[in-house]
Amino acid sequence: SYVLTQTPSVSAAPGKTARITCEGNNIGDKTVHWYQRKPGQAPVLVIYYDSDRPSGIPERFSGSNSGNTATLTINRVEAGDEADYYCQVWESSSDHRVFGGGTRLTVL
Amino acid sequence: QVQLVQSRGEVKKPGASVKVSCEASGYIFTAYGISWVRQAPGQGLQWMGWIRAHNGHTSYAQKFQDRITMTTDTSTNTAHMELRSLRSDDTAVYYCARDGGSGTSLDVWGQGTTVAVSS
């Protein structure tokens, strides 16, 4: 089955940029979705179809996907962005959804 | 507004079964499917499977294939997930999420249901 690999942790100071990567074999050929999960809360979709933002998600959140890496970028990081972030793709051959292992963003 | 409301948490003994429900509102239930995702303590999100609401077609993750059943009731706009032969490592928060199928995102999530498996 398809494997997505995420760096376990990333840190950024307030006001700086955080980049969270998601690696998979030719992931650029797939569409990637990103979810934010804060402790005690349900996951929230923050980026869909590689780079689209749902309504209510700040423009500071953006996404890209090419080659073997998809990236979630958070500009002007705020304390409230501290959370776990997960990438997810659809495996068309099996109709399965696959999550990456998650990246914990720590705001310094 | 679009909403998924899940059933309350449960405590089960090893070997028992649990059935979690997910009531949808604010959208046409049969136009979407429902995915089930769990998060065990200290672990990441784990996709368990999904069901198309309009025809009940399912696709399960291999890990759960032999002990999971997902169903929908279109008369009550409710999805159900039953997990059998529970083990201690099934202790987790279980989420339902609206799933448009064919590579779309899981755009709306339930609040989560805690299932604790303990003797």
Side-chain angles (χ1 to χ4, degrees):
Chain A
S1 61
Y2 195 75
V3 176
L4 295 173
T5 301
Q6 296 184 239
T7 303
S9 64
V10 165
S11 61
K16 300 299 185 182
T17 298
R19 292 182 180 84
I20 297 170
T21 60
C22 176
E23 296 183 346
N25 187 39
N26 293 321
I27 194 174
D29 294 336
K30 300 180 180 297
T31 54
V32 180
H33 314 299
W34 291 91
Y35 305 88
Q36 174 194 69
R37 187 181 180 278
K38 296 181 179 180
Q41 298 182 23
V44 172
L45 178 69
V46 294
I47 292 290
Y48 64 101
Y49 287 148
D50 295 342
S51 59
D52 291 340
R53 272 179 295 103
S55 61
I57 300 301
E59 292 183 9
R60 301 183 296 105
F61 287 79
S62 62
S64 63
N65 183 21
S66 179
N68 293 318
T69 305
T71 303
L72 172 68
T73 301
I74 308 172
N75 292 316
R76 302 181 299 283
V77 165
E78 300 176 357
D81 299 332
E82 192 162 274
D84 294 330
Y85 292 85
Y86 295 87
C87 58
Q88 178 251 314
V89 300
W90 176 56
E91 195 174 32
S92 58
S93 60
S94 61
D95 197 24
H96 288 182
R97 289 83 175 121
V98 179
F99 283 98
T103 297
R104 175 153 297 178
L105 172 64
T106 300
V107 180
L108 301 172
Chain B
Q1 75 280 22
V2 177
Q3 198 173 5
L4 298 174
V5 178
Q6 298 184 222
S7 50
R8 299 174 65 159
E10 300 202 47
V11 179
K12 295 290 185 180
K13 293 193 181 300
S17 298
V18 68
K19 192 170 187 178
V20 181
S21 66
C22 171
E23 184 176 1
S25 61
Y27 72 97
I28 299 172
F29 184 63
T30 51
Y32 293 81
I34 295 288
S35 263
W36 290 89
V37 178
R38 77 178 187 182
Q39 184 161 27
Q43 303 295 312
L45 298 178
Q46 182 174 37
W47 182 78
M48 303 178 71
W50 88 294
I51 182 167
R52 293 181 190 272
H54 79 279
N55 62 6
H57 171 80
T58 55
S59 179
Y60 300 139
Q62 191 166 5
K63 177 181 174 70
F64 305 102
Q65 182 80 35
D66 57 350
R67 62 188 185 105
I68 195 169
T69 300
M70 296 178 185
T71 57
T72 56
D73 182 343
T74 57
S75 68
T76 60
N77 290 348
T78 302
H80 303 276
M81 185 281 297
E82 181 181 38
L83 190 62
R84 300 177 293 278
S85 303
L86 291 170
R87 307 184 288 258
S88 59
D89 62 359
D90 290 318
T91 294
V93 179
Y94 289 76
Y95 295 100
C96 61
R98 189 173 76 164
D99 188 332
S102 299
T104 60
S105 61
L106 309 182
D107 64 341
V108 179
W109 293 66
Q111 83 276 19
T113 297
T114 299
V115 176
V117 182
S118 174
S119 55

